[in-house]
Amino acid sequence: MASPFKAVELLRITTVLEDCADQLVILGNLMRARRGCSAEEAATADLGDVPHRSQRELGSPVLPAYLSKVQQNRDFVDQAITALLEELQATGTFNSLLCIIDEEERRKSQLQDIVLKEEEAKSKTKVLQRQLQDIRKENALKLQDRDCFIAHLKDQLQETKARTALEKSYVTKCSKLLVYQEQKLNASSEKQLLEMIQLFHDRMDEEKRAHAEMEGFLKRHQARLEEKLEMWMEQYEKDMEEKQQEISTLRNARASNLLQLQELARKYQHSEQVVKEDRVQKLLLRQQLEMDRNQRNAALKIQSWWRGTLVRRQMGPHRKGKKTTTAAKKKKK
């Protein structure tokens, strides 16, 4: 595979990368020295000087964690630059840098997907827990009201039974007294007693009917509550399906936005490459113009020096012998 860079460009790129690698090495040495100084200061710190320390010194416990994070990033960049330098020096390509960038983007995308899934699961769990608590509270209140109503009915029934028992006992005693006192009025008294007994039986039947109707009412109310519970469960399932559809729609929109972002990134890289090539061409042209100007200046300096040398040494057209010959010719004439 041919190198995508020219020899001059490759030399400049490797020079810049080597400079970056050297700076990263210097930065690592400074960070290790700084970490050692911070540890020594923390070990030899005096508690009596705490009120007089600055805010920067009070925040020193946070510094080791920050330096560790920066050290990890520096190591990652150093490894990437080292691998890129080796590949550029070997083949003149930068495929290792592209692989590192793709791997880092894929790892970040996976982490973001995991975080989003966990947040969605937590929100769904919270919503379901709140709905379940509301349903439990509502059912508990309904059961409590029902128990209170049943207890009230039982109290009324016991009261009715006790009243009936008292009345029956009173009537029995009265009837016995009437039997002993007035045997002649036995027939009429017996008839009255029978009528009263019949009245009590009617009341008992009425109470039984009321109890049966109340029990039927409670059963119907319970059936309606069960129907409402089924309806709420169906509504819950329907809401869950709608939310799943909304989540699918949002995921599709996110995928579309990601594709658009990748296309814009590709266009930006292409534009940046064109700008870099134009800058390189302008730099070469500027260097060529500078070289031509230097050559002209050097030629002018050489010509000036040669003319001065001819004049000082009286060489060429500046010889003295020619002047003497010319003067002799004038005398002869």
Side-chain angles (χ1 to χ4, degrees), residues 240-278:
M240 285 295 293
E241 291 178 357
E242 291 178 356
K243 293 300 180 182
Q244 289 293 336
Q245 291 178 359
E246 291 180 0
I247 291 171
S248 300
T249 304
L250 291 174
R251 285 178 179 173
N252 294 330
R254 187 173 66 84
S256 177
N257 293 332
L258 183 60
L259 292 174
Q260 293 179 1
L261 180 63
Q262 290 177 354
E263 182 65 22
L264 291 174
R266 187 184 62 79
K267 291 182 180 179
Y268 171 76
Q269 291 179 356
H270 178 69
S271 302
E272 186 178 7
Q273 184 67 28
V274 172
V275 170
K276 288 181 179 179
E277 292 177 356
D278 183 65

Coordinates of all heavy atoms in Angstrom, one line a residue, residues 240-278:
M240 N -48.1 0.6 28.6 CA -46.8 0.0 28.5 C -46.5 -0.2 27.0 O -45.4 0.1 26.5 CB -46.7 -1.3 29.2 CG -46.6 -1.2 30.7 SD -45.1 -0.4 31.3 CE -43.9 -1.6 30.8
E241 N -47.4 -0.7 26.2 CA -47.2 -0.8 24.8 C -46.9 0.5 24.1 O -46.1 0.6 23.2 CB -48.4 -1.5 24.1 CG -48.6 -3.0 24.6 CD -49.8 -3.6 23.9 OE1 -50.5 -2.9 23.3 OE2 -50.0 -4.8 24.2
E242 N -47.7 1.6 24.5 CA -47.5 2.9 23.9 C -46.1 3.4 24.2 O -45.4 4.0 23.4 CB -48.6 3.8 24.4 CG -50.0 3.5 23.9 CD -51.1 4.5 24.4 OE1 -50.7 5.3 25.3 OE2 -52.2 4.4 24.0
K243 N -45.7 3.2 25.5 CA -44.4 3.7 25.9 C -43.3 2.9 25.1 O -42.3 3.5 24.7 CB -44.2 3.5 27.4 CG -45.1 4.4 28.2 CD -44.8 5.8 28.0 CE -45.7 6.7 28.9 NZ -45.5 8.2 28.6
Q244 N -43.5 1.6 24.9 CA -42.5 0.9 24.1 C -42.4 1.4 22.7 O -41.3 1.5 22.1 CB -42.9 -0.6 24.1 CG -42.7 -1.3 25.4 CD -41.3 -1.4 25.8 OE1 -40.4 -1.4 25.0 NE2 -41.0 -1.6 27.1
Q245 N -43.6 1.7 22.1 CA -43.6 2.3 20.8 C -42.8 3.7 20.7 O -42.1 4.0 19.8 CB -45.0 2.5 20.3 CG -45.7 1.1 20.0 CD -47.1 1.3 19.5 OE1 -47.6 2.5 19.5 NE2 -47.8 0.2 19.2
E246 N -43.1 4.5 21.8 CA -42.4 5.8 21.8 C -40.9 5.6 22.0 O -40.1 6.3 21.3 CB -42.9 6.6 23.0 CG -44.3 7.0 22.9 CD -44.8 7.8 24.1 OE1 -44.0 8.0 25.0 OE2 -46.0 8.3 24.1
I247 N -40.5 4.6 22.8 CA -39.0 4.3 22.9 C -38.4 3.9 21.6 O -37.3 4.3 21.2 CB -38.8 3.2 24.0 CG1 -39.2 3.8 25.4 CG2 -37.4 2.7 24.0 CD1 -39.2 2.8 26.5
S248 N -39.2 3.0 20.8 CA -38.7 2.6 19.5 C -38.5 3.8 18.6 O -37.5 3.9 17.8 CB -39.6 1.5 18.9 OG -39.7 0.4 19.8
T249 N -39.5 4.7 18.6 CA -39.4 5.9 17.7 C -38.2 6.7 18.1 O -37.5 7.2 17.2 CB -40.7 6.7 17.9 OG1 -41.9 5.8 17.6 CG2 -40.7 7.9 16.9
L250 N -38.0 6.9 19.4 CA -36.8 7.7 19.8 C -35.5 7.0 19.4 O -34.6 7.7 19.0 CB -36.9 7.9 21.3 CG -38.0 8.8 21.9 CD1 -38.0 8.8 23.4 CD2 -37.9 10.2 21.3
R251 N -35.5 5.7 19.5 CA -34.2 5.0 19.1 C -34.0 5.2 17.6 O -32.8 5.4 17.2 CB -34.3 3.5 19.5 CG -34.2 3.3 20.9 CD -34.4 1.8 21.3 NE -34.2 1.5 22.7 CZ -34.4 0.3 23.2 NH1 -34.8 -0.7 22.5 NH2 -34.2 0.2 24.5
N252 N -35.0 5.1 16.8 CA -34.9 5.3 15.3 C -34.4 6.7 15.0 O -33.5 6.9 14.2 CB -36.2 5.0 14.6 CG -36.6 3.5 14.7 OD1 -35.7 2.6 14.8 ND2 -37.9 3.2 14.8
A253 N -35.0 7.7 15.8 CA -34.6 9.1 15.5 C -33.1 9.3 15.9 O -32.4 10.0 15.3 CB -35.5 10.0 16.3
R254 N -32.7 8.6 17.0 CA -31.3 8.7 17.5 C -30.4 8.1 16.4 O -29.3 8.6 16.1 CB -31.2 8.1 18.8 CG -29.8 8.3 19.4 CD -29.7 7.7 20.9 NE -29.9 6.3 20.9 CZ -28.9 5.4 20.7 NH1 -27.7 5.8 20.5 NH2 -29.2 4.1 20.8
A255 N -30.8 7.0 15.8 CA -29.9 6.4 14.8 C -29.8 7.3 13.6 O -28.7 7.4 13.0 CB -30.5 5.0 14.4
S256 N -30.9 7.9 13.2 CA -30.9 8.8 12.1 C -30.0 10.0 12.3 O -29.2 10.4 11.5 CB -32.3 9.3 11.7 OG -32.3 10.2 10.7
N257 N -30.1 10.6 13.5 CA -29.2 11.7 13.9 C -27.8 11.3 13.9 O -26.9 12.1 13.6 CB -29.6 12.2 15.3 CG -31.0 12.9 15.2 OD1 -31.4 13.4 14.2 ND2 -31.7 12.9 16.4
L258 N -27.5 10.0 14.4 CA -26.1 9.6 14.4 C -25.6 9.4 13.0 O -24.4 9.8 12.7 CB -26.1 8.2 15.1 CG -24.7 7.6 15.3 CD1 -23.8 8.5 16.1 CD2 -24.8 6.2 15.9
L259 N -26.4 9.0 12.0 CA -25.9 8.9 10.6 C -25.6 10.3 10.1 O -24.6 10.5 9.4 CB -27.0 8.2 9.8 CG -27.2 6.7 10.1 CD1 -28.4 6.1 9.3 CD2 -25.9 5.9 9.8
Q260 N -26.5 11.2 10.4 CA -26.3 12.6 9.9 C -25.0 13.2 10.5 O -24.2 13.9 9.8 CB -27.5 13.5 10.3 CG -28.7 13.1 9.5 CD -29.9 14.0 9.9 OE1 -29.7 14.9 10.8 NE2 -31.1 13.8 9.3
L261 N -24.8 12.9 11.8 CA -23.5 13.4 12.4 C -22.3 12.8 11.8 O -21.3 13.4 11.6 CB -23.6 13.0 13.9 CG -22.4 13.5 14.8 CD1 -22.3 15.0 14.7 CD2 -22.6 13.0 16.2
Q262 N -22.3 11.5 11.5 CA -21.2 10.8 10.8 C -20.9 11.4 9.4 O -19.8 11.6 9.1 CB -21.5 9.3 10.7 CG -21.4 8.6 12.1 CD -21.8 7.1 11.9 OE1 -22.2 6.7 10.8 NE2 -21.7 6.4 13.0
E263 N -22.0 11.7 8.7 CA -21.8 12.3 7.4 C -21.2 13.7 7.5 O -20.3 14.1 6.7 CB -23.2 12.4 6.7 CG -23.1 13.0 5.3 CD -22.4 12.1 4.3 OE1 -22.2 10.9 4.6 OE2 -21.9 12.7 3.3
L264 N -21.7 14.5 8.5 CA -21.1 15.9 8.7 C -19.6 15.7 9.1 O -18.8 16.5 8.7 CB -21.9 16.6 9.7 CG -23.3 17.0 9.3 CD1 -24.0 17.6 10.5 CD2 -23.2 18.0 8.2
A265 N -19.3 14.7 9.9 CA -17.9 14.5 10.3 C -17.0 14.2 9.2 O -15.9 14.6 9.0 CB -17.8 13.4 11.4
R266 N -17.6 13.3 8.3 CA -16.8 13.0 7.1 C -16.5 14.2 6.2 O -15.4 14.4 5.7 CB -17.5 11.9 6.3 CG -16.8 11.3 5.1 CD -17.6 10.4 4.3 NE -18.8 11.0 3.8 CZ -18.8 11.7 2.6 NH1 -17.6 11.9 2.0 NH2 -19.9 12.3 2.2
K267 N -17.6 15.0 6.0 CA -17.4 16.3 5.2 C -16.4 17.2 5.9 O -15.5 17.8 5.2 CB -18.7 17.0 5.0 CG -19.7 16.2 4.2 CD -21.0 17.0 4.0 CE -22.0 16.2 3.1 NZ -23.3 17.0 3.0
Y268 N -16.4 17.3 7.2 CA -15.5 18.1 7.9 C -14.0 17.6 7.7 O -13.1 18.4 7.5 CB -15.9 18.2 9.4 CG -14.9 18.9 10.2 CD1 -14.8 20.3 10.2 CD2 -14.0 18.2 11.0 CE1 -13.8 20.9 11.0 CE2 -13.1 18.8 11.8 CZ -13.0 20.2 11.8 OH -12.0 20.8 12.6
Q269 N -13.8 16.3 7.8 CA -12.5 15.8 7.7 C -12.0 16.1 6.2 O -10.8 16.4 6.0 CB -12.5 14.3 8.0 CG -12.7 14.0 9.4 CD -12.8 12.5 9.7 OE1 -12.7 11.7 8.7 NE2 -12.9 12.1 10.9
H270 N -12.9 15.9 5.2 CA -12.5 16.2 3.9 C -12.1 17.7 3.7 O -11.0 18.0 3.1 CB -13.6 15.8 2.9 CG -13.3 16.1 1.5 ND1 -12.4 15.4 0.7 CD2 -13.8 17.1 0.6 CE1 -12.3 15.9 -0.5 NE2 -13.2 16.9 -0.6
S271 N -12.9 18.6 4.3 CA -12.6 20.0 4.2 C -11.3 20.3 4.9 O -10.5 21.1 4.4 CB -13.7 20.8 4.8 OG -14.9 20.6 4.1
E272 N -11.1 19.7 6.0 CA -9.9 20.0 6.8 C -8.6 19.5 6.0 O -7.6 20.1 6.0 CB -10.0 19.2 8.1 CG -8.8 19.6 9.1 CD -9.0 18.9 10.4 OE1 -9.9 18.1 10.5 OE2 -8.2 19.1 11.3
Q273 N -8.8 18.3 5.3 CA -7.7 17.8 4.5 C -7.3 18.8 3.4 O -6.2 19.0 3.1 CB -8.0 16.4 4.0 CG -6.9 15.7 3.2 CD -5.8 15.4 4.1 OE1 -5.9 15.2 5.3 NE2 -4.6 15.3 3.6
V274 N -8.4 19.3 2.7 CA -8.2 20.3 1.6 C -7.4 21.5 2.1 O -6.5 22.0 1.5 CB -9.5 20.6 1.0 CG1 -9.3 21.8 0.0 CG2 -10.1 19.4 0.3
V275 N -7.9 22.0 3.3 CA -7.2 23.2 3.9 C -5.8 22.9 4.2 O -4.9 23.7 4.0 CB -8.0 23.6 5.2 CG1 -7.2 24.7 5.9 CG2 -9.4 24.1 4.8
K276 N -5.5 21.7 4.8 CA -4.1 21.4 5.1 C -3.3 21.3 3.8 O -2.1 21.8 3.8 CB -4.1 20.0 5.8 CG -4.6 20.1 7.3 CD -4.5 18.8 7.9 CE -5.0 18.8 9.4 NZ -4.9 17.5 10.0
E277 N -3.8 20.7 2.8 CA -3.0 20.6 1.5 C -2.7 22.0 1.0 O -1.6 22.3 0.5 CB -3.8 19.8 0.5 CG -3.8 18.3 0.9 CD -4.7 17.5 -0.1 OE1 -5.2 18.1 -1.0 OE2 -4.7 16.2 0.1
D278 N -3.8 22.9 1.0 CA -3.6 24.3 0.5 C -2.5 25.0 1.4 O -1.7 25.7 0.8 CB -4.9 25.0 0.6 CG -4.8 26.4 0.0 OD1 -4.6 26.5 -1.2 OD2 -4.9 27.4 0.8

